[in-house]
């Protein structure tokens, strides 16, 4: 796809890095900017200058995968008004599970995103034709893969059939679950860091024995590093000079310069001077 920066809306793309060329920028983000090219087939938007697009999600631990999702929605049309729905806390906990961020925190993350024009929170878990009509929305934007819920194989199928659904690309390898897994895998490191910062064991949800185990392990690590440092200093101070002398002793002496002429007889320069002794 040919990405034309000049035709896109202001603030509809990520900030450019200082020193980044326009070609490098296009190569990185061109995949995620894919405006609708066959607008004519959508009769319900004939004559409209501004297209209202709706997206929704949980947006827990807001990350650049979420931002790219919103960026794609914003750039579906030259003049997109993007409405973003943020699911409510109770509904999310019932249908998906516990979140890290509260409902208010997730809302604040989304409303500070440069691509979003308006936020609905709490939003319905999925959209219906009636909801889009009520919100005066022209399209909803989501990942094209089927989204099952209960006995329904794909809750977005009615919108797809009605021509009101536009697909986006997923940022592979980036998800809230991936980040949570990364934190859990380094659990002890983050636990120790927060204990050192003065966070109480009650706030961390650990018992007395776990707290003391972490503190003892920390002190053992400090002592071990000090001992290793002393040993390394001792070796450097005493062993290095001795090893240098041993190498010098065992190395062959430097070769003398070869002043032998072709005859094979050493040639010596007579530097003697005649001294006259007074009588």
């Amino acid at each position: 796809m040919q990405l034309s920066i000049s035709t896109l809306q202001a603030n509809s793309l990520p900030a450019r890095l200082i020193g980044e060329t326009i070609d490098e920028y296009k190569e990185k983000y061109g995949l995620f900017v894919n405006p609708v090219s066959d607008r004519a087939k959508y009769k319900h938007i004939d004559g409209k200058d501004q297209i209202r697009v709706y997206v929704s999600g949980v947006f827990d631990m807001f990350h650049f995968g979420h931002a790219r999702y919103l960026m794609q929605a914003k750039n579906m049309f030259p003049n997109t008004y993007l409405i973003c729905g943020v699911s409510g806390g109770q509904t999310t906990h019932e249908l998906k599970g516990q979140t890290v961020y509260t409902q208010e925190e997730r809302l604040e993350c989304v409303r500070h995103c440069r691509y979003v024009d308006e936020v609905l929170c709490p939003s319905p878990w999925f959209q219906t034709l009636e909801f889009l009509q009520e919100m005066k929305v022209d399209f909803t934007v989501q990942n094209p893969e089927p989204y099952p819920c209960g006995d329904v194989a794909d809750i977005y199928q009615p919108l797809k059939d009605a021509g009101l659904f536009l697909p986006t690309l997923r940022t592979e390898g980036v998800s809230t679950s991936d980040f949570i897994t990364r934190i859990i895998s380094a659990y002890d490191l983050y636990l120790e860091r927060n204990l050192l910062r003065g966070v109480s064991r009650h706030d961390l949800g650990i018992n007395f024995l776990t707290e003391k185990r972490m503190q003892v392990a920390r002190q053992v690590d400090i002592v071990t590093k000090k001992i290793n440092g002393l040993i390394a200093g001792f070796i450097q101070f005493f062993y290095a000079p001795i090893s240098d002398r041993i190498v010098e002793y065992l190395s062959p002496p430097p070769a003398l310069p070869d002043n032998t002429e072709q005859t094979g007889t050493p040639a010596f320069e007579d530097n003697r001077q005649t001294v006259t002794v007074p009588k």
Side-chain angles (χ1 to χ4, degrees), residues 6-129:
S6 60
T7 60
L8 297 175
Q9 304 175 75
N11 295 330
S12 63
L13 289 176
R16 283 177 59 188
L17 295 177
I18 294 177
E20 186 178 38
T21 67
I22 193 68
D23 289 335
E24 292 172 337
Y25 189 81
K26 288 180 180 179
E27 182 179 358
K28 186 171 185 178
Y29 290 106
L31 179 65
F32 295 96
V33 180
N34 189 18
V36 174
S37 58
D38 51 350
R39 172 173 173 158
K41 78 174 187 178
Y42 301 106
K43 302 300 182 182
H44 67 288
I45 60 173
D46 282 348
K48 286 190 175 182
D49 294 329
Q50 186 179 70
I51 307 301
R52 291 171 62 87
V53 174
Y54 181 85
V55 297
S56 66
V58 177
F59 301 105
D60 193 21
M61 297 180 66
F62 192 89
H63 50 74
F64 70 91
H66 293 140
R68 286 184 178 179
Y69 164 51
L70 297 173
M71 178 188 71
Q72 293 178 74
K74 182 67 173 179
N75 288 286
M76 287 292 177
F77 298 92
N79 190 17
T80 298
Y81 187 84
L82 183 60
I83 305 170
C84 183
V86 178
S87 61
Q90 181 177 351
T91 302
T92 303
H93 297 162
E94 291 175 355
L95 298 178
K96 193 168 185 178
Q98 182 64 38
T99 58
V100 177
Y101 289 0
T102 65
Q103 174 180 308
E104 184 65 23
E105 290 167 342
R106 293 184 286 111
L107 165 62
E108 287 300 314
C109 288
V110 171
R111 75 187 307 174
H112 282 83
C113 180
R114 66 193 302 175
Y115 312 123
V116 177
D117 296 299
E118 197 173 0
V119 181
L120 173 65
C121 183
S123 65
W125 191 253
F126 60 93
Q127 299 92 59
T128 61
L129 292 172

Side-chain angles (χ1 to χ4, degrees), residues 55-208:
V55 297
S56 66
V58 177
F59 301 105
D60 193 21
M61 297 180 66
F62 192 89
H63 50 74
F64 70 91
H66 293 140
R68 286 184 178 179
Y69 164 51
L70 297 173
M71 178 188 71
Q72 293 178 74
K74 182 67 173 179
N75 288 286
M76 287 292 177
F77 298 92
N79 190 17
T80 298
Y81 187 84
L82 183 60
I83 305 170
C84 183
V86 178
S87 61
Q90 181 177 351
T91 302
T92 303
H93 297 162
E94 291 175 355
L95 298 178
K96 193 168 185 178
Q98 182 64 38
T99 58
V100 177
Y101 289 0
T102 65
Q103 174 180 308
E104 184 65 23
E105 290 167 342
R106 293 184 286 111
L107 165 62
E108 287 300 314
C109 288
V110 171
R111 75 187 307 174
H112 282 83
C113 180
R114 66 193 302 175
Y115 312 123
V116 177
D117 296 299
E118 197 173 0
V119 181
L120 173 65
C121 183
S123 65
W125 191 253
F126 60 93
Q127 299 92 59
T128 61
L129 292 172
E130 293 75 20
F131 171 78
L132 296 188
Q133 292 171 357
E134 178 184 350
M135 296 290 295
K136 297 181 173 59
V137 169
D138 298 304
F139 295 97
T140 186
V141 175
Q142 290 286 346
N143 188 307
E145 296 180 2
Y147 194 109
C149 184
D151 297 332
V152 181
D154 184 6
I155 58 178
Y156 293 108
Q157 191 59 51
L159 303 182
K160 294 176 181 178
D161 296 338
L164 303 177
F165 182 95
L166 296 175
T168 60
L169 293 175
R170 180 182 177 85
T171 302
E172 295 298 333
V174 179
S175 70
T176 300
S177 298
D178 293 333
F179 291 124
I180 292 176
T181 300
R182 189 185 303 176
I183 294 172
I184 293 175
S185 65
Y187 172 76
D188 284 350
L189 293 178
Y190 291 114
L191 189 62
E192 179 186 1
R193 184 187 72 171
N194 281 359
L195 285 173
L196 292 174
R197 293 176 60 190
V199 181
S200 70
R201 64 181 179 86
H202 300 287
D203 291 335
L204 293 172
I206 60 176
N207 57 35
F208 175 81

